[in-house]
Every structure is written in C-alpha cells, then in structure tokens.
C-alpha cells in the first residue's frame, strides 16, 4: 500500500511538471515575433531552446509551433533556405497531428514568402494551402489565402485570375465584417485594374480603401493609398494631377520613417517634374531620392562591417587564449626540468591560482548569464502583457463598432420606416421621431470618435488635425449656408504627441463650439484657428452668429462641459460674445 501511494505521488508530480512545461512552451511560441525588442540571434536561440524543451517532454504540437516561429524569424533575417526548412518541418508535424488549419495556413504562408524568389514553387505551396482550407471550409484563413493567391496571379500577369481571387477574399471579409482587412483587398483590386489600364476603376477602389483607412487612422495605409492614387494619374500621363497625392504621402512616410515609401515618393516626384520639363524640381527630388537611397545602403554596409568586426575580434581572442595556454605549458615544463621539488611546488601554486581564477570567472559568467535570463524573462512577460492589453482594447473597440454601432443604425432605420410607413402620423410625433433619429445619428459619430481614441495610446498632431478636418467636412455637408475655415499656423510643432485623453478633450471642445455655432447662433461663417506661442497652444473658434449677453445668460451643460474638459488638460477657456456681433471661444493649454 505504501509503495502504491509513493508511485501515485510520483506520477501526480510528473503530470503537474509536464503541464507547467507545456504552458511555458506555449507561452513562448505565442510571442509576437515582430514585437520582440531583442537581438535577432537571441530570438533564434530562444525558439531553438523552446523546441528542445518540447522534444524533451515529447510535446509534438509545441515542437511544430516552435519550428513555425523559427521559420518566421529566419524569413525576417533573409535566411530563406533555413526559413523554408523550418516551416516544412512544422507542416510535417501538423500533418501528423491533423491540425488542418495550421497545415493550410503555413503552406499558404510558405508559398507567399517565396513569391519573388521562386514563383513556380510559390504557386505550388499556395495551391496546397488553398486546397486544404477549401476542403475544411476555413473561412478565417481563406479570406487571406485568396487575397495572397491573387497577388501571385498578378505577379504572373494573370490579371483576370488575380481579380477573381481578390473578389473571393473580399466577399468573405465583408461577410465576417473584417474592417481592417477590407481596405487591403480594395487596394489590391485597384492595382490589378491599373495594370489592365482601367484607370477609373483603379481610382475608385484606391479611394474606397483610403476612406476606410482614414476612419481607422491607419497612417501607413493612408500614405500608401495616396502614392497609389498618384501612380494612377502618372499612368494616364496626368502629371499635374499626380503631384498633390505624392505630396500628401511624403510627410506621412517621413514622419513614420517608412524609408522605402519615402524613397519611392522622391523618385516619382523627380520623374513627374522631368516630364513637365521643370528641371530644378526634378533635380531637387532626385537628390533627395539619392540621399535616402545612400542612407539605406550605408546602414546595411555598417551592419555588415559590424558583423565582420565581431567575427574578427572573436577569432583574435581565441588565438590569444591558445597562445597563452601554449606559453603556460612551456613554462611549466621548463620549471620541472630545472628543479623538480621547489619549482614543482611553485608550478602547483600557479596551477591552483589559475584554477581559482578560472572558477571565479566561470561563476561570474554564470551569474551574468542568470541575470540576462532573468531580464529576458521579465522583458518577455512585459511584451506578453502589452500584447494582451492591446488585443483587449482592439476587441472592445470592435465590439462597440460592430454591436452597438449596428444597433444604433437599426434604431435609425426603424424610425425612418415608422415615418414613411404611417401616413397619418401627427406633425408633433413626426418632429419627435426626426429628433430621435438625429440624436441617434450623432451618437454614432461620437461612438466612432471614442473607438478612434481607444485604438491609440497616443494621438499625434497629424491624427488630431485629420479628425478635426473630417468633422468640419461633415459640418459643411450638414449646413450648406455656412462657410467654414480651418487654419493651423506655420509655427505650430506638428510633431507634438498628445495622450489619448488630451487629444479627445481638445477635439470635443472644438466639436462642441462648432455645434453651438450651427445650432444656436445661425452663423454665416465659422473659423477654427490653432496657434502656438511660448510653449502654449491656443485654439480659437470664431463665428459671425447672433451672439449672446454674457451678463444675463446662464451657462448651459455644453459650455460647462467645455470648461471641465479644458481643466482636465491643464488649460483655461473663455467665451467672448456680444449680441449681434458673434461669439469667440478661446482655449489655451500648455504644450
């Protein structure tokens, strides 16, 4: 009985350790490779070690996931042969475990990664992944597989096939409401139409993609769409129409340090001005293009030199160690020959001293290694926590957009159906329904603004400018009799970054001021100006409306909310108004 209890305890302990090891292996395999801020060699070593740990406990799924991550790392390093081997090793294990979703995904991913190196094999692997996904109706994978397969068809100059697969991927994305993926499909379709010289279609789909990305404030996607729209005009030889789009893309790519796009924009602008016989501008943009091209090349050269220096220093140190060991051996032999007893004792003392020194160094290196491992573990835990927080924020914002947004839209539709479905509705009830519909529509706009702020840890001046401009554009459409203007002084530092709370408060104050001018002031002109002086920002919203008497008028909820928001960002706000002479709202806050 005692033996049975001992055996049971051993088995229970082993099962607990196995479970813990599996959790640790899975945790490492789920790391977001692009977000790891550690040297590339350390990332490779991390996943190689994780694969060995999974093999040690015969955890085949952990081994396969480790190889798939390792393949991704090698791909980013440009080690394509190692990447292919690791990915195929992972697929082989997935096939054994019958993990159909991963088999399909990694076959397709392997094919897509080879598109510019080996198009024949790229098509072969992509077709294998597509076949598995279609056989098992894996729509979540098929939306991207169809899109990427269309890219391969476009590279192979099969443009009708490319459009067919872009459309199939888009249908699934629309079906599952993939709001982030849809603009990518539209951009791909626009590119294919452009290659077919169907420029109107190409422009239509690039614009659709751009509008969606402006809603989500996807800066890099916006920059790419501006450049692509410029390319369409270039293909039509409408050089002057292409220039503004390149100029819109360029500041974004510079700010986001998107070097390849910046380089391409400079080259396109140089080509355009060359076509227009504007030699000064053509030369200027060509010089900018050459400078950034040389900069990218210089960085790569410096990286190669650094790698060679490390290799040289390592080899040099190894040779020095070998020389020192040889010298010590010679001295020891010489001492033994001269005096066996006295110098033998001295030699022994030297050896003991050397051993002690080596043991000390070994312990020191061991402690340093332990410290590095602790730091790495802490860094990985922090990265994983950040990833989870970002996923949670995205999930909440998507739920708000997809569920509450859809419900509000349903309410508006239902109210409209009531208005038009019943002809005998009284004027008072009709006006009430119109008011509810307008309020619900406004709630949708505010919900979108909230989602926009939730999706960002920080809000740039560019983001804020884009959002305010978008709001004013809506206001123009709502009130055709009112003239709007929005101006930012040249001395404003547009690189400044606000927290999401600061950015939202500034935006809401401007929004409230403009709404008040439209609703209550009957203004013919509304002007928004932003300036900077002595490390402070000033926002002025001026209208030419009927104004109000500040002495006799009690402040409502809107104006009090504006005051509260200005205090939250450490600023102050004042209202200047006279009957018949309009109103000015002045917001000051520190940079």
């Amino acid at each position: 009985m005692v033996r049975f209890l001992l055996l049971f305890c051993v088995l229970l302990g082993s099962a607990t350790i196995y479970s813990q090891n599996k959790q640790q292996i899975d945790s490492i395999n789920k790391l977001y490779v692009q977000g790891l801020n550690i040297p590339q060699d350390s990332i490779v070593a991390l996943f190689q070690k994780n694969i060995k740990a999974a093999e040690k406990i015969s955890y085949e799924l952990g081994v396969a996931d480790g190889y798939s991550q390792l393949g991704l790392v090698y791909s980013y390093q440009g080690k394509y042969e190692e990447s292919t081997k690791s990915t195929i090793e992972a697929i082989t294990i997935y096939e054994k475990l019958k993990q159909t979703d991963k088999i399909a995904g990694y076959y397709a991913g392997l094919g897509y990664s080879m598109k510019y190196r080996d198009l024949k094999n790229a098509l072969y692997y992509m077709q294998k992944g597509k076949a598995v996904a279609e056989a098992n109706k894996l729509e979540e994978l098929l939306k991207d597989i169809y899109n990427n397969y269309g890219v391969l068809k476009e590279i192979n100059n099969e443009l009708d096939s490319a459009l067919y697969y872009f459309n199939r991927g888009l249908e699934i994305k629309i079906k599952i409401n993939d709001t982030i993926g849809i603009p990518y499909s539209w951009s791909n379709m626009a590119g294919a139409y452009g290659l077919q010289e169907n420029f109107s279609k190409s422009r239509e789909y690039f614009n659709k993609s751009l509008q969606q990305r402006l809603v989500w404030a996807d800066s890099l996607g916006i920059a790419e769409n501006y450049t692509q729209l410029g390319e369409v005009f270039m293909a039509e030889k409408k050089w002057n129409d292409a220039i503004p789009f390149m100029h819109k893309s360029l500041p974004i790519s510079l700010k986001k340090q998107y070097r390849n796009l910046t380089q391409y924009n400079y080259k396109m602008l140089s080509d355009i001005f060359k076509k227009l016989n504007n030699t000064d501008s053509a030369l200027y943009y060509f010089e900018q293009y050459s400078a950034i091209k040389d900069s990218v090349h210089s960085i790569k050269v410096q990286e190669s030199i650094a790698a060679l220096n490390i290799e040289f220093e390592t080899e040099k140190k190894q040779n020095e160690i070998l020389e020192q060991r040889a010298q010590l051996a010679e001295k020891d032999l010489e001492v033994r020959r001269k005096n066996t007893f006295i110098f033998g004792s001295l030699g022994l003392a030297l050896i003991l001293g050397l051993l002690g020194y080596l043991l000390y160094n070994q312990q020191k290196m061991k402690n340093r290694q332990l410290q590095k491992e602790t730091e790495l573990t802490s860094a990985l835990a922090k990265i994983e926590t950040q990833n989870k927080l970002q996923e949670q924020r995205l999930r909440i914002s998507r739920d708000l957009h997809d569920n509450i947004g859809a419900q509000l839209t349903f309410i508006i539709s239902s109210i409209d159906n009531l208005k038009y479905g019943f002809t005998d509705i009284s004027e008072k009830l009709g006006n009430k329904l119109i008011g509810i519909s307008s309020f619900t529509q406004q709630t949708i706009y505010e919900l979108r603004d909230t989602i926009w702020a939730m999706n960002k840890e920080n809000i740039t001046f560019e983001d804020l400018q884009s959002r305010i401009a978008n709001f004013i554009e809506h206001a123009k459409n709502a009130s055709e009799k009112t003239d709007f203007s929005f101006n930012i002084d040249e001395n404003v530092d547009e690189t400044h970054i606000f927290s999401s709370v600061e950015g939202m408060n500034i935006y809401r104050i401007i929004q409230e001021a403009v709404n008040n001018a439209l609703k209550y002031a009957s203004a013919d002109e509304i002007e928004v100006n932003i300036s900077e002086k002595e490390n402070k920002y000033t926002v002025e919203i001026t209208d030419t409306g009927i104004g109000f008497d500040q002495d006799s008028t009690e402040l409502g909820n809107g104006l009090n909310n504006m005051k509260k928001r200005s205090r939250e960002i450490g600023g102050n706000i004042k209202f200047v108004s006279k009957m018949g002479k309009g109103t000015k709202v002045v917001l000051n806050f520190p940079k």
Side-chain angles (χ1 to χ4, degrees):
M1 183 67 181
V2 173
R3 287 182 180 177
F4 173 77
L5 287 172
L6 286 171
L7 179 61
F8 176 76
C9 290
V10 170
L11 290 173
L12 182 62
S14 299
T16 303
I17 293 169
Y18 177 77
S19 175
Q20 289 173 345
N21 286 341
K22 278 183 65 178
Q23 289 177 356
Q24 187 177 1
I25 290 165
D26 289 340
S27 178
I28 292 172
N29 282 336
K30 288 177 182 176
L31 288 174
Y32 182 57
V33 172
Q34 296 96 315
L36 291 175
N37 191 21
I38 57 178
Q40 291 292 316
D41 290 342
S42 299
I43 299 174
V44 170
L46 174 68
F47 287 115
Q48 286 175 338
K49 185 178 178 181
N50 207 40
I51 290 168
K52 288 179 181 177
E55 288 174 339
K56 191 174 181 180
I57 62 171
S58 301
Y59 180 30
E60 290 187 295
L61 182 59
V63 175
D65 289 342
Y67 273 120
S68 65
Q69 287 286 68
L70 194 57
L72 186 60
V73 176
Y74 280 136
S75 175
Y76 289 139
Q77 292 179 346
K79 298 177 180 179
Y80 301 117
E81 187 174 347
E82 290 91 336
S83 175
T84 302
K85 286 179 181 177
S86 297
T87 305
I88 290 175
E89 189 72 35
I91 292 170
T92 303
I93 302 173
Y94 288 139
E95 287 177 333
K96 179 182 174 183
L97 299 174
K98 297 182 180 179
Q99 297 275 329
T100 51
D101 56 338
K102 293 189 175 183
I103 295 167
Y106 283 105
Y107 265 135
L110 180 60
Y112 191 70
S113 69
M114 301 170 72
K115 60 184 179 293
Y116 294 120
R117 293 180 287 114
D118 186 350
L119 185 58
K120 183 179 178 181
N121 275 325
L123 287 165
Y124 169 73
Y125 286 121
M126 182 68 83
Q127 285 163 355
K128 289 193 73 168
K130 183 169 73 73
V132 174
E134 286 173 338
N136 292 277
K137 298 180 180 179
L138 304 174
E139 286 194 332
E140 192 64 37
L141 286 173
L142 280 171
K143 67 182 175 64
D144 296 318
I145 290 175
Y146 284 144
N147 190 71
N148 292 341
Y149 192 53
V151 172
L152 266 62
K153 289 291 185 181
E154 182 180 298
I155 293 169
N156 207 31
N157 204 29
E158 299 177 52
L159 300 179
D160 288 336
S161 295
L163 284 167
Y164 171 76
Y165 283 107
F166 289 151
N167 262 311
R168 291 197 67 179
L170 179 61
E171 286 170 2
I172 299 174
K173 290 176 182 179
I174 292 171
K175 178 182 174 182
I176 65 176
N177 197 25
D178 181 7
T179 53
I180 294 174
I182 289 171
Y184 286 95
S185 292
W186 283 336
S187 287
N188 285 336
M189 292 172 70
Y193 281 125
L195 291 172
Q196 289 183 335
E197 298 186 0
N198 188 343
F199 300 121
S200 61
K201 274 279 187 185
S202 179
R203 223 181 343 265
E204 175 190 343
Y205 278 96
F206 276 136
N207 274 314
K208 288 175 73 173
S209 177
L210 176 61
Q211 294 309 312
Q212 183 64 46
R213 282 167 167 168
L214 284 169
V215 171
W216 286 96
D218 176 6
S219 298
L220 294 181
I222 292 166
E224 287 180 350
N225 280 149
Y226 280 140
T227 298
Q228 290 159 340
L229 283 163
E231 287 180 304
V232 176
F233 283 113
M234 287 178 69
E236 295 178 282
K237 297 184 179 180
K238 297 179 179 179
W239 315 113
N240 287 314
D241 291 334
I243 293 171
F245 289 100
M246 298 301 180
H247 279 160
K248 286 181 180 180
S249 174
L250 191 55
I252 302 173
S253 66
L254 282 167
K255 185 172 183 180
K256 298 297 181 180
Q257 297 182 350
Y258 193 174
R259 289 178 173 273
N260 290 335
L261 185 59
T262 301
Q263 179 179 331
Y264 186 73
N265 282 332
Y266 281 137
K267 180 68 170 61
M268 291 299 99
L269 284 167
S270 176
D271 290 345
I272 291 169
F273 283 112
K274 187 176 178 182
K275 294 288 185 183
L276 293 172
N277 294 320
N278 187 337
T279 54
D280 288 343
S281 294
L283 179 60
Y284 169 76
Y285 285 111
F286 185 78
E287 287 173 348
Q288 298 300 313
Y289 159 73
S290 299
I292 196 168
K293 184 179 179 183
D294 291 343
S295 171
V296 172
H297 177 70
S298 175
I299 290 169
K300 291 179 180 176
V301 170
Q302 288 171 12
E303 288 174 351
S304 300
I305 291 171
L308 288 171
N309 282 336
I310 291 168
E311 185 178 343
F312 172 74
E313 289 297 326
T314 303
E315 186 177 354
K316 184 179 176 182
K317 287 178 182 178
Q318 287 175 344
N319 290 335
E320 287 175 356
I321 291 169
L322 288 172
E323 286 177 9
Q324 288 174 3
R325 287 179 180 173
Q327 289 170 5
L328 286 172
E330 285 178 10
K331 286 179 181 179
D332 187 49
L333 182 60
E334 207 174 300
V335 168
R336 286 186 180 186
R337 285 174 181 171
K338 287 181 178 180
N339 194 317
T340 304
F341 179 71
I342 298 172
F343 290 100
S345 301
L346 182 60
L348 182 61
L350 286 171
I351 291 169
L352 289 173
L354 182 61
L355 285 172
Y357 176 73
L358 290 172
L359 285 171
Y360 169 75
N361 268 352
Q362 186 179 6
Q363 187 62 37
K364 190 175 179 181
M365 289 176 66
K366 189 175 180 181
N367 290 339
R368 193 177 297 165
Q369 185 66 28
L370 285 171
Q371 184 182 354
K372 285 184 178 179
E373 287 181 1
T374 303
E375 289 174 357
L376 178 61
T377 302
S378 175
L380 292 176
K382 188 181 290 185
I383 290 167
E384 190 172 357
T385 302
Q386 289 173 348
N387 286 341
K388 287 180 180 177
L389 285 172
Q390 184 63 16
E391 287 173 5
Q392 186 76 351
R393 290 173 68 189
L394 286 172
R395 184 184 65 76
I396 293 171
S397 66
R398 284 174 182 167
D399 285 347
L400 286 172
H401 180 273
D402 297 341
N403 296 333
I404 298 178
Q407 291 168 6
L408 291 172
T409 304
F410 176 74
I411 291 172
I412 293 172
S413 176
S414 299
I415 291 171
D416 289 341
N417 288 338
L418 282 173
K419 286 191 295 184
Y420 296 110
F422 296 94
T423 56
D424 56 348
I425 290 178
S426 67
E427 182 180 354
K428 184 176 181 181
L429 178 56
N431 290 336
K432 190 68 175 176
L433 289 174
I434 291 169
I436 294 171
S437 178
S438 299
F439 175 77
T440 309
Q441 186 69 45
Q442 184 63 30
T443 305
I444 289 176
Y445 290 137
E446 293 181 359
L447 177 63
R448 287 176 180 167
D449 292 335
T450 304
I451 292 171
W452 167 71
M454 281 184 66
N455 279 332
K456 293 179 172 291
E457 292 182 10
N458 297 308
I459 295 176
T460 64
F461 209 102
E462 176 194 339
D463 296 330
L464 189 60
Q465 180 181 352
S466 173
R467 205 71 191 174
I468 294 170
N470 194 36
F471 164 69
I472 287 179
E473 192 62 32
H474 281 299
K476 285 181 181 179
N477 295 333
S479 179
E480 295 180 357
K481 69 176 184 179
T482 305
D483 290 329
F484 292 87
S485 64
F486 177 44
N487 308 301
I488 299 177
D489 280 1
E490 293 180 356
N491 61 341
V492 172
D493 178 12
E494 295 192 15
T495 63
H496 184 68
I497 295 175
F498 302 98
S499 70
S500 57
V501 174
E502 288 174 332
M504 200 60 186
N505 279 328
I506 296 165
Y507 174 67
R508 287 295 191 211
I509 289 171
I510 295 172
Q511 187 183 45
E512 182 68 25
V514 172
N515 282 336
N516 285 345
L518 287 172
K519 288 181 181 178
Y520 309 117
S522 301
D524 294 325
E525 295 179 9
I526 300 174
E527 186 174 348
V528 179
N529 296 310
I530 300 178
S531 59
E532 178 187 351
K533 187 177 182 182
E534 296 179 354
N535 222 25
K536 286 186 177 180
Y537 286 119
T538 300
V539 180
E540 293 185 357
I541 305 97
T542 308
D543 69 66
T544 59
I546 60 175
F548 64 91
D549 187 348
Q550 291 181 266
D551 297 328
S552 61
T553 303
E554 185 177 347
L555 297 182
N557 286 335
L559 299 183
N560 283 323
N561 283 338
M562 291 163 73
K563 283 190 171 185
K564 182 181 176 184
R565 289 185 184 278
S566 71
R567 287 196 297 270
E568 287 179 359
I569 59 174
N572 62 78
I573 192 168
K574 62 180 180 179
F575 309 100
V576 181
S577 183
K578 288 185 178 179
M579 293 297 294
K581 293 188 177 182
T583 302
K584 179 187 285 188
V585 179
V586 183
L587 168 67
N588 292 294
F589 59 94
K591 186 173 179 182

